[in-house]
Amino acid sequence: MAKQIQAIRGMNDCLPTQSPLWQKVESTIKQVVSAYGYSEVRMPIVESTHLFSRAIGEVTDVVEKEMYTFDDRNGDSLTLRPEGTAGCVRAGIQNGLLYNQEQRLWYTGPMFRHERPQKGRYRQFHQFGVEVFGLNGPDVDAELIMMTARMWRELGIDKHVRLELNSIGSLEDRANYREALIAFLEQHIDILDEDCKRRMHTNPLRVLDTKNAAIQEVLVDAPKLSDYLGEESKQHFAGLCELLDAAGIEYQVNERLVRGLDYYNRTVFEWITESLGAQGTVCGGGRYDGLVEQLGGKATPAVGFAMGLERLVLMMETLELTDVRRPVDVYMVTAGEGTMMAGMKLAEKLREDVPGLRVMSHFGGGNFKKQFKRADNVGAAVALVLGENEIAENTVVVKDLRGGEQTTMAQDDVAAKLAELI
Ligand code: ATP
Ligand code: MG
C-alpha cells in the first residue's frame, strides 16, 4: 500500500461525529448576533503580510513567532490570517464601509498560528468575531459583553465562565505609564527572564501578563496603569462598569489584563473558564479606536471581540453538553421487487411534505435485520419499511426504533405522523 499522507500537525479534521456539536455552537452564536441586528462579512484567508505586522504590532507574539508567512509565485509576502480584525478593517476601508458610517459586523472561519499544539491550542483554529465601527461607547462596549453573556447562557456554559475587565487607556495614557513601568522593571532587572528583558523596552506592558510566577510576585508592587488613566478614559470605564452593573453582568477588574495584540485601547476584556486547564481564555476583545486610521482610513472608533470555537466545543464536551439532534430522523428500509424505487419516491415526497425532516434511504441491499442495524447506527428515530405487500396496498410500516412498536398505515398518512419528529 502507498504511504499515507497525514494532516499538518496542529490542523484537525472535524469528523461527522463531531460536526453536530460544532453546528450547534455555531448556529447558537449566529442566532444571538442576529438578535442584535449584526451582519456577516467574509474576508479572504490570505492577506498581505504588512497588514498584520502593521495592525497587530511587530513585537507581539503573533507577528514575531506565530504567523504562517510565505512568498507567493510573484514574490509577494503573504500571510495566512492569524486573526480577523485586521482583515475586517482592511475590507471596511477598501470598500468604503467605514467612512462616516456605522457598521455592526460578524465573521467566522479558520485562523492560523504556528504555536505548540496542545489541548485548546492548535495551528489551524476557528474564531467567531464581532467588530463594530463608528461608535464611541461605552454603550456598545457593554452591548458586546451582554451579547457574549447571552451566548454563554444559550449554550448552557454561563456558570463556567467569568469576565475579566480592564481599561488600558489612550495611547498617551499608556506612553506615560510605559515610562514609569520601565523605570520599575529596571530596578528589578536581575529577576526578569530573557523574554521579559527583551519586552521591557519594546513592549513593556506585555511583561505584566508574564506566566513566570517569580516575576508576577514582584509585579504586585509595579505602578498601576489605572493611576495613569486620563479623565476621559476613566469616565469611559466607569460608564461601562455602570452599564454592566445595570445589566446584572458580573465581572472582575483585572489591572494586569493588557491583551496580546497592540491595537487595543480603553476597554479590554476576557472571558475565562477553569474547565479547560491552561488554555482558559475562550473569548477576548476590546476597543481599538486607532486602528482604522493606522491602516490608512479616516479615524473611526471601533470595538470587537473574538472567541475560539475549539475551546467552546471542548468546554461543551467537558461539561457533557453534547446532547445534539442526530443527523437522521427516518431510515427507509426496502426489500423485494420494485421496492427500492418506491422507497426513494416516498422519501422524496416526505422531504417535500415535512420540511426539515431528515430521511436517509438504505442502499446496497441486505435483509431487514441488516437494514435495521444501519438505521440504529445512524441514530434514526423511525424506520419506514416498504415490502412488496405494502406497495400493493399503498401502505408502509412505521417502526419506532426507540420504543419498538410498529404500525402499518396508509402512505398518504405517514407525513402527518412523521411531522411529530420535528
Ligand atoms: P492565548 O492567550 O490563549 O494565546 P490570545 O490572546 O493569543 O490567546 P486572541 O488573539 O485574543 O488570543 O484570540 C481570541 C481567542 O481565540 C482566544 O481567546 C482563544 O479562545 C482563541 N485562540 C487563540 N489562539 C488559539 C489557538 N492557537 N488555538 C485555539 N484557539 C485559539
Ligand atoms: Mg496567543
Side-chain angles (χ1 to χ4, degrees), residues 62 66 83 113 115 120-123 125 127 211 259-261 264 270 279 281-284 306-308 310-311:
V62 171
E66 296 172 2
E83 54 99 63
R113 298 186 192 180
E115 304 197 69
R121 193 177 293 285
Y122 310 99
R123 291 183 172 172
F125 62 100
Q127 284 187 340
K211 307 243 150 62
R259 313 266 308 121
L261 316 179
Y264 288 108
E270 282 187 357
Q279 271 55 251
T281 308
V282 289
C283 172
M307 57 185 69
E310 279 79 3
R311 293 187 192 177

Side-chain angles (χ1 to χ4, degrees), residues 165-214:
L165 195 63
N166 194 18
S167 174
I168 58 168
S170 66
L171 268 183
E172 288 146 52
D173 301 342
R174 278 210 303 286
N176 293 334
Y177 174 64
R178 204 183 129 104
E179 275 177 38
L181 183 61
I182 292 175
F184 173 87
L185 293 174
E186 265 164 357
Q187 285 167 20
H188 299 276
I189 191 104
D190 41 315
I191 65 115
L192 295 187
D193 58 25
E194 282 314 310
D195 239 15
C196 290
K197 273 189 200 149
R198 199 164 46 82
R199 286 271 143 78
M200 188 170 108
H201 290 288
T202 52
N203 196 354
L205 265 72
R206 288 291 282 160
V207 176
L208 294 180
D209 62 7
T210 174
K211 307 243 150 62
N212 183 320

